[in-house]
Amino acid sequence: MHPEPASRRPLLEQAASWLLEVLSRLFGPIPGSKVHDEAFCKAVKDRNDELNKPEGQRDAALLQELTEQMLRLRLERCQVLQRDFRASHLVFSQPPDCKCCSDCLVVRQRLAACCQATAAWYDSWEQITSQQLQAVQRGEPPPALPVPPFELQLPPGVPEQLPPSVDRCSRCQHNLDYYMHREQHWQAVKAAHGDEPVSV
């Protein structure tokens, strides 16, 4: 999950993350690990390198293999991120045990809305990737599909942009900065592509 900076995670969660990385390096990329992220980035680069060769120099069989590998890793990544953001949404939707600052409740409501929209975003990407992967496995070119919308549903009284506040604690500000940065990125991706279909 994403709500807390690494230094504030319980020791058990840090140990679980460490174990995931160790197992990934021993037995291959496990979705959700840094090793899996690195494998996905490498798969994207290898596939693009082959795709960018002059048409007569491309290895069609290799390109299909690299495309399938990249889409499979992307599908696994979307599934993990969707799960993590749904879990974060549940965390932020719960009333805090104690109010760390006067902005705590509205910050948590804003972050819950962000995580809910992000989970839905990755759910859409999972469906898109699944369609493209199935096409490649049939020996067909992956279909070009529109980038899904990032649909933010704010609760009443919670603004999209929370103004700076001297009453906001550093923990709430850190979480707000973390999620707002990512939300702006996803909205920028959609704005850049609009409703135009995007190929793999």
Side-chain angles (χ1 to χ4, degrees):
M1 292 190 304
H2 305 272
E4 306 292 343
S7 61
R8 291 174 177 156
R9 292 176 186 168
L11 290 177
L12 183 61
E13 185 177 342
Q14 293 186 46
S17 178
W18 174 83
L19 179 60
L20 185 64
E21 297 303 323
V22 171
L23 292 175
S24 291
R25 297 193 183 279
L26 288 174
F27 302 109
I30 297 175
S33 67
K34 291 180 181 178
V35 176
H36 191 278
D37 289 344
E38 291 167 359
F40 171 68
C41 292
K42 183 178 185 303
V44 171
K45 180 182 182 302
D46 291 346
R47 191 254 181 185
N48 288 341
D49 287 347
E50 187 65 28
L51 185 64
N52 291 333
K53 290 179 180 179
E55 191 168 349
Q57 298 179 21
R58 291 180 203 155
D59 184 329
L62 177 60
L63 181 58
Q64 180 174 348
E65 178 184 339
L66 292 172
T67 301
E68 183 174 344
Q69 180 187 25
M70 184 266 292
L71 288 170
R72 179 178 54 77
L73 290 168
R74 190 173 80 182
L75 181 62
E76 293 172 347
R77 191 166 182 265
C78 287
Q79 291 168 340
V80 168
L81 288 169
Q82 179 198 159
R83 180 199 67 200
D84 285 356
F85 277 100
R86 288 203 187 284
S88 294
H89 169 250
L90 290 176
V91 169
F92 286 127
S93 296
Q94 299 299 316
D97 293 335
C98 60
K99 295 196 67 175
C100 54
C101 62
S102 60
D103 263 8
C104 179
L105 183 58
V106 70
V107 167
R108 290 175 71 92
Q109 289 176 324
R110 180 64 181 84
L111 297 182
C114 174
C115 291
Q116 185 179 42
T118 303
W121 164 270
Y122 279 113
D123 179 61
S124 297
W125 271 116
E126 180 184 342
Q127 296 176 41
I128 288 171
T129 305
S130 181
Q131 291 180 50
Q132 293 172 329
L133 179 58
Q134 290 171 19
V136 171
Q137 290 172 335
R138 292 193 300 266
E140 303 169 2
L145 299 168
V147 172
F150 187 84
E151 298 178 331
L152 187 65
Q153 298 179 350
L154 294 170
V158 177
E160 184 170 352
Q161 298 294 332
L162 295 183
S165 172
V166 295
D167 298 321
R168 187 177 303 148
C169 70
S170 59
R171 179 180 181 180
C172 284
Q173 187 62 54
H174 170 89
N175 287 336
L176 191 62
D177 291 344
Y178 180 95
Y179 284 96
M180 292 304 97
H181 174 74
R182 280 148 184 78
E183 182 179 297
Q184 290 165 8
H185 169 72
W186 296 311
Q187 290 175 333
V189 169
K190 178 59 180 177
H193 295 285
D195 295 326
E196 291 296 319
V198 178
S199 60
V200 175

